[in-house]
């Protein structure tokens, strides 16, 4: 159950959307970069557990609220019971779907509570709809949609700087350098334009184009350096980068 939920009441569309993004970022973190810890906390031997995303981008696995009715809509109950009955991918996808539904219910609960009118509800929905769902991030659909969008954009914009590196910095230069042959330039152009619309595999956001990014050499997902705690200086010494999710899978195997 959420601590201090009663004291936190976003009252405008912008405040509700900020609340939504904070909770969403928390759950995306639980299902991606913190997936090993999340997996361990969802012990099927425990009582009914819920995954809560908090406005401060922190997540917790906890028992449901005791008060009836609860202060806020409650997330799916008993997510731990399904953990060992499904493959990890299927289970995480199921949790993601229920989490998407929960985030919408919380946002529109605030909208109803503070009497948002028709245009405000429509604006809130459009703001939420512009962000990839947790399910899309966890399953990789968001990345595919980003690639499709990027390939369309390539037809009208071919003037961007190009690089074949797995790591990029704010000035577009590679923080890992390697020789690029002229015949590979066409492939490099596609890679760079794709990065312009790529979503971070940890937080699910595409913003931060002026930030440092790194790509996992196994799953080929892109991540903000800050989301996976990798700096440009550290990246210089990494021969093969494995994201937290891929590292956790290999550890469990």
């Amino acid at each position: 159950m959420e601590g201090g939920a009663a004291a936190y009441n976003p009252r405008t569309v912008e405040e509700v959307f900020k609340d939504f993004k904070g909770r969403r970022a928390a759950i995306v973190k639980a299902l991606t970069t913190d997936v090993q810890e999340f997996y361990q906390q969802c012990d099927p031997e425990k009582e009914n557990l819920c995954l809560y995303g908090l406005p401060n981008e922190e997540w917790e696995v906890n028992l449901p609220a005791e008060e009836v009715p609860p202060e806020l809509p409650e997330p799916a109950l008993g997510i731990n019971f399904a953990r060992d009955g499904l493959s990890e991918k299927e289970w995480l996808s199921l949790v993601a779907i229920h989490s998407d539904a929960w985030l919408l219910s919380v946002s529109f609960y605030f909208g109803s509570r503070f009497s948002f009118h028709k245009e405000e509800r429509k604006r809130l929905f459009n703001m939420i709809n512009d962000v990839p769902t947790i399910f899309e991030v966890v399953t990789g659909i968001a990345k595919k949609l980003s690639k499709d969008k990027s390939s369309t954009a390539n037809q009208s914009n071919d003037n961007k700087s190009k690089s074949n590196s797995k790591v990029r910095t704010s000035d577009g230069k590679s923080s890992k350098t390697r020789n690029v042959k002229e015949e590979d330039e066409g492939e490099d152009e596609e890679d760079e334009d794709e990065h312009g619309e790529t979503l971070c595999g940890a937080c699910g956001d595409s913003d931060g184009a002026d930030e440092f990014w790194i790509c996992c050499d196994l799953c080929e997902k892109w991540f903000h350096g800050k989301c996976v705690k990798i700096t440009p200086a550290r990246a210089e010494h990494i021969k093969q980068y494995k994201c937290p999710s891929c590292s956790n899978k290999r550890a469990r195997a």
Side-chain angles (χ1 to χ4, degrees), residues 8-234:
Y8 181 78
N9 290 314
R11 294 174 178 271
T12 68
V13 171
E14 288 70 24
E15 288 176 346
V16 172
F17 182 62
K18 181 179 179 181
D19 177 272
F20 167 85
K21 289 196 70 175
R23 295 176 188 275
R24 174 186 171 279
I27 297 176
V28 168
K29 187 190 303 182
L31 301 184
T32 55
T33 56
D34 295 348
V35 67
Q36 185 174 30
E37 181 182 353
F38 172 66
Y39 188 91
Q40 292 172 348
Q41 289 192 28
C42 292
D43 186 348
E45 298 300 320
K46 295 182 179 179
E47 297 183 50
N48 288 300
L49 295 175
C50 302
L51 171 60
Y52 293 90
L54 306 180
N56 63 356
E57 300 188 9
E58 296 296 325
W59 61 271
E60 64 179 20
V61 173
N62 212 332
L63 295 171
E66 295 181 0
E67 62 269 20
V68 179
E71 175 64 25
L72 292 176
E74 285 287 296
L77 181 66
I79 57 172
N80 50 316
F81 295 149
R83 192 194 73 176
D84 294 345
L86 301 170
S87 69
E88 180 178 325
K89 183 177 180 180
E90 290 174 333
W91 178 63
L92 292 175
S93 296
L94 180 64
V95 175
I97 291 171
H98 283 290
S99 296
D100 281 321
W102 175 65
L103 289 178
L104 284 172
S105 68
V106 170
S107 294
F108 282 90
Y109 163 82
F110 286 128
S112 294
R113 179 173 180 178
F114 297 110
S115 303
F116 286 4
H117 56 68
K118 178 179 179 180
E119 289 305 316
E120 287 176 322
R121 294 195 303 271
K122 182 177 180 181
R123 182 155 62 93
L124 175 60
F125 177 79
N126 288 337
M127 292 169 74
I128 292 174
N129 200 41
D130 283 339
V131 181
T133 65
I134 298 173
F135 175 77
E136 289 172 340
V137 173
V138 170
T139 59
I141 294 176
K143 182 179 179 181
K144 182 179 183 301
L145 293 174
S146 175
K147 286 183 178 181
D148 293 342
K149 183 178 179 181
S150 178
S151 62
T152 301
N154 288 347
Q155 298 176 5
S156 60
N157 186 2
D158 295 322
N159 298 322
K160 296 180 181 179
S161 59
K162 314 303 186 293
S163 170
N164 193 39
S165 173
K166 285 285 184 180
V167 181
R168 290 179 174 79
T169 53
S170 60
D171 57 1
K173 295 182 179 179
S174 161
S175 61
K176 278 185 181 180
T177 58
R178 63 184 183 184
N179 294 328
V180 182
K181 296 181 180 180
E182 291 183 0
E183 57 266 28
D184 293 335
E185 288 181 355
E187 180 180 345
D188 295 344
E189 292 177 5
E190 180 180 349
D191 182 64
E192 176 66 19
D193 286 337
E194 173 186 318
H195 176 66
E197 292 292 338
T198 294
L199 302 173
C200 174
C203 69
D205 286 337
S206 60
D207 51 348
D210 58 342
E211 296 180 10
F212 171 76
W213 291 69
I214 188 166
C215 182
C216 175
D217 288 302
L218 297 184
C219 66
E220 297 187 349
K221 291 183 179 179
W222 286 92
F223 299 85
H224 292 122
K226 65 180 182 180
C227 290
V228 290
K229 300 179 181 179
I230 298 292
T231 63
R234 183 179 175 188

Side-chain angles (χ1 to χ4, degrees), residues 231-252:
T231 63
R234 183 179 175 188
E236 291 285 353
H237 303 285
I238 299 177
K239 293 182 179 179
Q240 183 185 51
Y241 174 68
K242 291 179 288 187
C243 69
S245 180
C246 289
S247 297
N248 292 336
K249 289 178 182 177
R250 293 172 71 88
R252 282 200 292 272

